Amino acid sequence: MAEYSTYTDEVLVPLLQKGDKEAYAEIYNRYNGLLYIFAYNRLKDREEAKDIVHELFLRLWADHSRLAITGRLSVYLYTAVRNRIINLIAHQQVASRYIDSFLSYIGQADHQSADYLARYNDLQTFIQREISNLQPRTREIFELSRQSSLTRREIAEKLGISEETVKSHMHTALKLLKARLGNLFFMVF
Amino acid sequence: MDRSSARDLLIRYRSGDCTESERQLVESWILHGAAGPPDLSDVELLDDLLDIRLRLESSMRKQDLKATVFRRWLPYAAMLIFVVSAAIWTYSRMNSGKQGLRRETADVLPGGNTATLTLPDGSIVKLSDTQGGIVMGDEVKYTDGTTVPGTNGQSPGHGAGAATQNASAVSQRLTLAIPKGSTYRVTLPDGTRVWLNTASTLTYPSRFSDSERIVELAGEAYFEVSEIRAPVQRASGNSGPSRKVPFIVRTRSQSVEVLGTQFNIAAYADETAAKTTLVEGSVRVGAAQNTASAVLKPGQQSVVSGKQISVAEVDVAAYTSWKEGYFTFNGTELREAMRQLSRWYDVDVIYEGNIPPTPFYGKISRSNSLAGVLDILKEGNVHFRIENNGTAYRVIVMP
């Protein structure tokens, strides 16, 4: 069984396009946490942010054979989330919640040239920085969330009760995870 | 810029009707306007990630179902035509009373709750499939309190106290047999609760003695043994200290002695090893073929294979979830997983070609049809085909 976790994005994309569910699962595991935080930080609404990430990944699988991913996978995914965020923000009913934030940003950006903005908007650099800025703690949460054999209550309880328990749990979870990657990803209840 | 033109810009961005510098401004705001770590607690963040995952898994299952519904039903439609024409053919030829087809549906559906109880006099009572279990007491009752018809006079002890010694009562043995595709529960005379898995039998006395409680198991069962104390036999005085009455489960290859605990034993004849998984308390497992024994702690599992006993830490839930109605595979090898399916769906399994050992991980509801379960297992890069030879179903496993 192939170790999908060791594959680069460049290897995973063509596999996904061919309908490889494990490649899909690995892409999901790699990016769902990052994209969720990205969406949440901008929307400050947990439900909306969850919806965006859920719909994005649903579409990614439903359209896997038609995906036109020309550049980097990470840029593709962030762009998709960004577009969904803007769609939501530009929506008539919700726009007013974000206008103030936008106006204050425009105030700061007024002095900056379009040239600067173009460079500043390089998504690839932005994503690199986002990933490297990730707190070790947040990374641990990402890894823990991969472990679907633990119930939500179990983990939450453990997170709430004692840090030591969580740590050892994470340790076991990660060990198990390494052994498990590649086989049944989907749990059925 | 004022509020209305800011909003206007966002709307124009969405419709693609803005200048290049306006586009960069909006995108820059989205990227850089909200930097920093999220103001969510670890629990909230994890909760949200798991929520997305569960929702996605649920949507994907529905999507896959839609996509495969045609492919899935086509062979069944063909099978159904075959079954129907075979039924008509059989019907047109057969005399009444001759055996028809065993099943008429195309997919293999899971079983439910049926069992038979063999009474000490040898008579066999078929237990209701609308009841999930029986309770052994002064009478044999279903768990809802109604008396099991046909068991009158065969009940364990008429008004006898537990302490009454009665050698003949101890020798009266009952056998609860669970067919393939069923599970059933029994509460023994001492209050011990036993969940019997598919294709298993439990033999137990109508009343336990004070010295030990012995039951015999073939197959798999989960035990919640109640702690029973009996006075220590002494020449003088009757208020002496009490001792725990051991509860012993014998299977073909091993014997498990316990003093009040919860554990699962899987000792099917078609498995090479008998596995005892301890949930709570303490048990001693002894191999039947020699004197080797091991004491288990909670979370440990013993594997008895011939004269060998090995003990390891395991994920207990994986070995007891059948009780809640799941197959749980936790590195379970393909052939062992298939034996579990074979016992639940009452099908034979045939291997075609060279199939490498494949471990499976996951939890699947046993209320799925066989085709539904196989559809999930094929994610492990193994292929399956359900065949019907007119009298029985079988699963062909292909590389």
Side-chain angles (χ1 to χ4, degrees):
Chain A
M1 194 54 66
E3 272 283 355
Y4 281 71
S5 61
T6 62
Y7 291 1
T8 62
D9 287 359
E10 287 71 25
V11 175
L12 291 171
V13 168
L15 289 173
L16 169 68
Q17 284 164 332
K18 271 182 248 153
D20 185 327
K21 215 164 192 173
E22 289 162 33
Y24 172 79
E26 178 57 31
I27 291 170
Y28 175 83
N29 282 333
R30 240 171 244 190
Y31 287 104
N32 87 100
L34 286 166
L35 294 173
Y36 174 72
I37 289 182
F38 180 69
Y40 172 77
N41 271 346
R42 273 120 199 114
L43 297 167
K44 292 292 175 201
D45 185 304
R46 291 167 69 185
E47 288 310 312
E48 283 174 359
K50 281 193 271 190
D51 281 346
I52 283 185
V53 176
H54 171 235
E55 282 163 21
L56 168 71
F57 278 103
L58 196 58
R59 189 122 306 273
L60 192 69
W61 179 250
D63 291 346
H64 63 80
S65 55
R66 294 186 293 276
L67 290 175
I69 305 178
T70 46
R72 284 176 179 271
L73 174 66
S74 57
V75 171
Y76 175 88
L77 293 171
Y78 269 87
T79 306
V81 171
R82 186 188 63 198
N83 292 344
R84 280 159 198 267
I85 292 172
I86 291 174
N87 268 348
L88 200 66
I89 288 176
H91 191 266
Q92 293 288 354
Q93 271 78 46
V94 296
S96 57
R97 270 164 51 200
Y98 303 99
I99 295 293
D100 288 335
S101 150
F102 186 38
L103 281 172
S104 83
Y105 187 79
I106 290 171
Q108 299 162 26
D110 260 352
H111 313 291
Q112 294 161 356
S113 70
D115 239 21
Y116 170 81
L117 284 180
R119 266 180 288 122
Y120 196 50
N121 286 353
D122 174 13
L123 251 173
Q124 183 52 38
T125 318
F126 171 82
I127 295 163
Q128 293 288 305
R129 214 179 43 235
E130 283 274 291
I131 295 172
S132 60
N133 282 350
L134 211 57
Q135 307 282 326
R137 186 89 186 121
T138 312
R139 282 179 208 273
E140 283 180 296
I141 301 294
F142 286 179
E143 289 300 336
L144 200 55
S145 82
R146 286 182 165 211
Q147 256 307 328
S148 51
S149 72
L150 305 171
T151 69
R152 173 193 315 237
R153 191 174 47 81
E154 253 180 320
I155 305 174
E157 263 176 19
K158 289 192 163 117
L159 279 171
I161 288 170
S162 129
E163 196 125 340
E164 275 319 296
T165 323
V166 187
K167 270 189 185 151
S168 75
H169 209 113
M170 284 173 174
H171 182 70
T172 330
L174 282 172
K175 251 184 5 194
L176 280 172
L177 182 76
K178 289 203 178 95
R180 279 179 194 197
L181 268 170
N183 252 318
L184 276 186
F185 164 70
F186 292 93
M187 313 265 292
V188 174
F189 294 94
Chain B
M1 194 183 278
D2 61 13
R3 292 182 65 87
S4 75
S5 49
R7 164 178 290 186
D8 179 58
L9 173 53
L10 288 178
I11 292 165
R12 281 188 293 111
Y13 175 90
R14 187 166 65 150
S15 59
D17 179 25
C18 65
T19 68
E20 176 62 18
S21 63
E22 283 172 332
R23 183 184 69 77
Q24 284 175 4
L25 185 64
V26 172
E27 291 179 0
S28 165
W29 166 58
I30 292 297
L31 284 194
H32 306 286
D39 56 352
L40 291 169
S41 72
D42 290 350
V43 174
E44 285 173 327
L45 177 56
L46 187 60
D47 204 49
D48 290 349
L49 294 182
L50 290 173
D51 198 30
I52 296 171
R53 185 188 199 101
L54 288 176
R55 278 158 64 179
L56 189 64
E57 283 170 7
S58 150
S59 328
M60 299 236 339
R61 263 203 311 284
K62 281 182 206 141
Q63 211 176 62
D64 280 3
L65 216 61
K66 263 189 263 166
T68 58
V69 88
F70 180 70
R71 179 165 54 82
R72 222 190 258 186
W73 281 100
L74 197 61
Y76 297 159
M79 216 188 271
L80 193 66
I81 292 168
F82 167 74
V83 170
V84 169
S85 41
I88 293 169
W89 181 78
T90 311
Y91 183 74
S92 63
R93 300 185 74 238
M94 74 180 182
N95 306 316
S96 59
K98 279 219 173 144
Q99 204 183 352
L101 286 172
R102 207 159 67 96
R103 280 209 190 84
E104 292 182 13
T105 47
D107 191 2
V108 184
L109 297 171
N113 291 318
T114 65
T116 58
L117 182 64
T118 307
L119 302 171
D121 67 358
S123 60
I124 296 173
V125 177
K126 190 171 182 335
L127 298 173
S128 166
D129 60 1
T130 58
Q131 300 278 346
I134 53 170
V135 180
M136 305 301 299
D138 286 347
E139 289 179 284
V140 184
K141 287 183 171 168
Y142 285 119
T143 41
D144 70 353
T146 55
T147 303
V148 178
T151 57
N152 288 344
Q154 299 291 343
S155 51
H158 295 282
T164 311
Q165 290 284 359
N166 185 335
S168 69
V170 173
S171 67
Q172 299 225 316
R173 296 187 82 77
L174 296 95
T175 298
L176 183 60
I178 320 298
K180 286 191 175 182
S182 288
T183 57
Y184 224 78
R185 286 198 315 275
V186 57
T187 305
L188 298 176
D190 64 341
T192 291
R193 300 206 293 163
V194 186
W195 284 255
L196 279 145
N197 202 349
T198 178
S200 302
T201 60
L202 183 75
T203 303
Y204 53 91
S206 53
R207 177 143 36 90
F208 288 116
S209 81
D210 278 353
S211 54
E212 57 187 8
R213 300 171 281 171
I214 299 180
V215 300
E216 283 154 40
L217 171 72
E220 179 163 21
Y222 183 90
F223 291 86
E224 243 179 55
V225 176
S226 55
E227 190 179 308
I228 298 285
R229 303 189 82 92
V232 173
Q233 298 288 330
R234 288 204 305 190
S236 63
N238 50 13
S239 59
S242 65
R243 58 171 192 87
K244 288 179 179 175
V245 179
F247 187 98
I248 297 166
V249 184
R250 286 195 181 137
T251 70
R252 201 168 49 109
S253 63
Q254 67 173 20
S255 139
V256 178
E257 183 177 333
V258 303
L259 301 162
T261 188
Q262 296 187 26
F263 59 100
N264 189 74
I265 297 180
Y268 283 107
D270 61 356
E271 301 285 350
T272 51
K275 291 177 180 168
T276 305
T277 312
L278 185 65
V279 178
E280 209 180 281
S282 163
V283 300
R284 174 183 294 278
V285 180
Q289 292 185 23
N290 67 0
T291 55
S293 74
V295 175
L296 299 187
K297 291 187 196 119
Q300 288 185 334
Q301 179 183 70
S302 66
V303 177
V304 173
S305 181
K307 294 179 180 174
Q308 303 282 325
I309 299 185
S310 61
V311 175
E313 302 275 339
V314 295
D315 174 11
V316 170
Y319 293 92
T320 57
S321 67
W322 63 265
K323 203 157 71 71
E324 277 81 47
Y326 295 102
F327 295 109
T328 300
F329 302 131
N330 190 355
T332 309
E333 212 278 306
L334 169 71
R335 283 163 182 79
E336 188 183 333
M338 293 311 294
R339 284 196 293 273
Q340 290 190 28
L341 299 190
S342 149
R343 286 193 289 264
W344 184 245
Y345 295 101
D346 192 8
V347 291
D348 288 330
V349 179
I350 289 144
Y351 297 88
E352 261 179 15
N354 185 22
I355 300 152
T358 311
F360 286 99
Y361 298 91
K363 191 170 172 185
I364 304 172
S365 167
R366 300 214 292 191
S367 61
N368 279 302
S369 74
L370 177 60
V373 174
L374 294 179
D375 218 44
I376 296 157
L377 294 188
K378 77 171 196 283
E379 301 297 336
N381 274 337
V382 186
H383 298 89
F384 305 97
R385 193 169 73 232
I386 303 178
E387 278 186 357
N388 182 323
N389 63 9
T391 56
Y393 283 89
R394 56 185 204 170
V395 177
I396 318 294
V397 186
M398 300 162 293

